[in-house]
């Protein structure tokens, strides 16, 4: 981790993700979480105040130590309840079928191997469980999509690996989920960065899990 990634990028991400327009998505999505919840890419903990009483326990996973440090402070200040874990979404330290709800907000864009991460989420989610997601990604407008593809290599260098051009619904389906609810729309702001995919999915298909964990895996 270089100087920019450790000291500059985390506060920039926190500031960017505190935009007021994103709050409505957080409130609508996160409040639906039930049972044992795993949040993928908990970041600086901005979702934590929105969990309702249906969330019996919350695990927040993120690969960034500086962002998790922010989340720890935010958790303490808000009196929120969450176990925060330093780990990658492509290697989740939980047993198979051990989570009732997965929450993912503006996370998939920056994961180097999004399909591998989604397959790990499929592995840890119980049958009948829910993946709740809101992500930005590829616009259906051909002109916007072309510019998203052109700019992603440059944008990724300054934004922590963020991809502007991922088709989120296709990735979720390819990992063995069925999407039961999906809303797509432009949020306020530049169209290159604000085409939103928000919805709910459930695991419906078996997928191969290289090195998958059984019941004896370390649980957090």
């Amino acid at each position: 981790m270089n100087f920019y990634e450790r000291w500059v990028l985390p506060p920039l991400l926190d500031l960017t993700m505190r935009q007021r327009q994103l709050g409505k998505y957080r409130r609508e999505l996160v409040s639906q979480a039930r049972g044992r919840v795993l949040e993928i890419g908990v970041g600086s903990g901005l979702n934590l105040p929105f969990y309702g009483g249906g969330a019996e326990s919350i695990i927040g996973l993120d690969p960034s130590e500086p962002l998790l440090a922010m989340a720890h402070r935010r958790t303490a200040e808000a009196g929120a309840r969450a176990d925060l874990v330093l780990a990658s979404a492509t290697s989740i330290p939980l047993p198979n079928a051990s989570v009732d709800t997965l929450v993912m907000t503006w996370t998939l864009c920056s994961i180097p191997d999004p399909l591998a991460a989604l397959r790990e989420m499929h592995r840890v989610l119980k049958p009948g469980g829910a993946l709740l997601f809101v992500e930005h990604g590829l616009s259906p407008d051909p002109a916007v999509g072309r510019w998203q593809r052109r700019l992603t290599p440059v944008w990724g260098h300054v934004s922590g690996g963020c991809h502007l051009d991922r088709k989120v619904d296709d990735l979720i389906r390819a990992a063995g989920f069925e999407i039961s609810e999906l809303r797509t729309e432009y949020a306020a702001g530049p169209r290159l960065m604000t085409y939103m995919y928000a919805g709910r999915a459930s695991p419906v298909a078996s997928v191969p899990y290289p090195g998958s964990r059984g019941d004896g895996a370390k649980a957090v």
Side-chain angles (χ1 to χ4, degrees):
M1 184 178 293
N2 59 35
F3 178 87
Y4 177 79
E5 292 169 336
R6 184 168 187 85
W7 300 108
V8 179
L9 184 60
L12 280 178
L13 290 174
D14 179 62
L15 180 63
T16 300
M17 298 313 296
R18 280 192 277 126
Q19 295 177 68
R20 181 174 296 180
Q21 64 164 326
L22 303 183
K24 68 171 185 176
Y25 292 102
R26 296 185 194 279
R27 283 190 296 272
E28 292 173 5
L29 188 84
V30 177
S31 62
Q32 300 177 49
R34 297 290 183 269
R36 192 184 194 206
V37 180
L38 172 62
E39 182 174 335
I40 301 294
V42 68
S44 60
L46 292 170
N47 285 337
L48 295 175
F50 298 105
Y51 284 101
E56 297 169 6
S57 63
I58 303 164
I59 302 165
L61 182 147
D62 203 278
S64 169
E65 193 171 355
L67 283 172
L68 278 182
M70 292 183 191
H72 275 290
R73 291 194 294 271
R74 188 161 275 135
T75 300
E77 291 168 1
R81 63 201 191 285
D83 294 320
L84 302 178
V85 180
L86 182 67
S88 167
T90 56
S91 185
I92 299 173
L94 288 173
N96 296 348
S98 59
V99 171
D100 298 295
T101 308
L102 285 160
V103 172
M104 182 173 66
T105 61
W106 302 289
T107 296
L108 204 62
C109 65
S110 60
I111 296 175
D113 190 340
L115 190 54
L118 284 164
R119 284 176 172 165
E120 268 289 87
M121 296 180 219
H122 189 291
R123 179 184 67 78
V124 301
L125 190 58
K126 293 178 181 178
L131 167 62
L132 306 175
F133 62 92
V134 56
E135 298 284 342
H136 73 96
L138 183 66
S139 166
D141 183 324
V144 176
R146 282 195 296 272
W147 276 106
Q148 287 177 312
R149 293 188 177 98
R150 288 170 185 162
L151 292 178
T152 285
V154 176
W155 176 246
H157 283 299
V158 298
S159 60
C162 175
H163 291 68
L164 302 172
D165 58 352
R166 286 180 172 167
K167 197 167 187 307
V168 173
D169 54 342
D170 285 355
L171 285 167
I172 290 173
R173 292 187 182 101
F177 289 93
E178 179 180 22
I179 297 176
S180 57
E181 300 174 19
L182 179 64
R183 186 171 87 249
T184 57
E185 63 190 12
Y186 285 106
R191 290 199 160 197
L192 293 174
M193 304 174 185
T194 58
Y195 190 73
M196 300 295 177
Y197 297 74
R200 171 188 288 260
S202 298
V204 294
S206 297
V207 294
Y209 304 128
S212 65
R213 297 168 178 81
D215 292 338
K218 179 184 177 183
V220 293

